[in-house]
Amino acid sequence: GNSVTQMEGPVTLSEEAFLTINCTYTATGYPSLFWYVQYPGEGLQLLLKATKADDKGSNKGFEATYRKETTSFHLEKGSVQVSDSAVYFCALHASDGNNRLAFGKGNQVVVIP
Amino acid sequence: GAGVSQSPRYKVAKRGQDVALRCDPISGHVSLFWYQQALGQGPEFLTYFQNEAQLDKSGLPSDRFFAERPEGSVSTLKIQRTQQEDSAVYLCASSLYSGGAVYTQYFGPGTRLTVL
């Protein structure tokens, strides 16, 4: 079936540090890939997306590249801010006609001033 | 414009009670989804509507869970005879029609259900 795997555990880092959150997926065909973010007390918001291989999604300084050869969609940001503290979810939308999103478990990111 | 809204935001139920959770999607959005998010986990798909038609209910965990969208707009997720394992955040999302194309799903703030 379709599934998403995110790296284990929370991520704690200092302001202006480089952030990477790993995401790999299993899917048939050519899924679309997403990163959603959940700020404290708020709902899930779309951060960025990529719909085909080698596409790069970007928003608010975050980037992720759809790598079909490694089935990955890692999230990166060059210089994090305290306001980036949130939970980040990787998700896929399969191309098999199934309209659901399949989510990873999420990663809590804490940015310390 | 207005986003997806859900009510109530918080619900406490005694085991065995029935609950009803409401979702108001973004106006004009044809597709509506319900997800269940357990503590510390990612959302898990429950069911999907296209207008008033429930096209996929394969994620509903038991026959105690029932969803409807009678007029193709507001949706209600009903849980009968609640159990402690039903405690979770229930998320509603809506999107433009997604037949053959991928449209962004916009999420509501969720309803946190606690079953005592």
Side-chain angles (χ1 to χ4, degrees):
Chain A
N2 302 314
S3 66
V4 174
T5 301
Q6 291 183 233
M7 53 193 282
E8 290 290 328
V11 178
T12 303
L13 60 171
S14 299
E15 203 166 22
E16 298 184 2
F18 185 87
L19 171 68
T20 299
I21 305 176
N22 290 340
C23 170
T24 57
Y25 68 89
T26 301
T28 54
Y30 303 94
S32 296
L33 301 172
F34 303 81
W35 277 99
Y36 278 83
V37 59
Q38 190 168 36
Y39 297 104
E42 298 185 17
L44 281 168
Q45 301 175 24
L46 179 67
L47 181 59
L48 53 84
K49 67 180 182 182
T51 58
K52 61 182 187 296
D54 300 325
D55 267 3
K56 177 185 284 187
S58 61
N59 186 26
K60 299 181 180 180
F62 290 89
E63 292 184 341
T65 301
Y66 186 157
R67 302 285 190 200
K68 188 163 178 63
E69 63 275 14
T70 55
T71 62
S72 65
F73 193 54
H74 304 323
L75 183 68
E76 297 181 335
K77 186 174 185 181
S79 176
V80 294
Q81 305 300 312
V82 172
S83 58
D84 293 324
S85 298
V87 182
Y88 293 80
F89 293 93
C90 185
L92 74 80
H93 182 287
S95 59
D96 56 5
N98 193 321
N99 288 306
R100 66 184 69 182
L101 287 172
F103 284 88
K105 290 186 176 182
N107 286 102
Q108 172 87 51
V109 172
V110 177
V111 181
I112 299 171
Chain B
V4 178
S5 61
Q6 293 186 245
S7 61
R9 292 291 309 277
Y10 303 91
K11 176 70 178 178
V12 178
K14 292 183 179 179
R15 189 163 55 93
Q17 284 184 331
D18 297 349
V19 298
L21 313 180
R22 177 187 169 106
C23 172
D24 281 89
I26 294 172
S27 178
H29 278 194
V30 169
S31 298
L32 186 145
F33 304 81
W34 284 98
Y35 294 84
Q36 180 190 58
Q37 186 176 17
L39 189 63
Q41 302 295 316
E44 295 279 347
F45 171 81
L46 293 176
T47 187
Y48 160 63
F49 289 86
Q50 184 177 306
N51 293 307
E52 67 277 5
Q54 189 174 19
L55 299 186
D56 187 351
K57 55 182 181 180
S58 62
L60 296 175
S62 78
D63 59 6
R64 296 186 295 103
F65 287 71
F66 172 76
E68 60 183 4
R69 194 186 184 197
E71 297 179 358
S73 179
V74 171
S75 177
T76 303
L77 176 67
K78 297 179 179 178
I79 309 173
Q80 297 177 324
R81 305 180 304 282
T82 53
Q83 304 295 315
Q84 284 190 318
E85 62 263 28
D86 300 335
S87 295
V89 176
Y90 290 85
L91 298 171
C92 177
S94 71
S95 74
L96 293 170
Y97 177 59
S98 60
V102 179
Y103 290 97
T104 297
Q105 293 185 25
Y106 295 89
F107 283 80
T111 295
R112 182 178 296 278
L113 173 65
T114 302
V115 181
L116 303 177

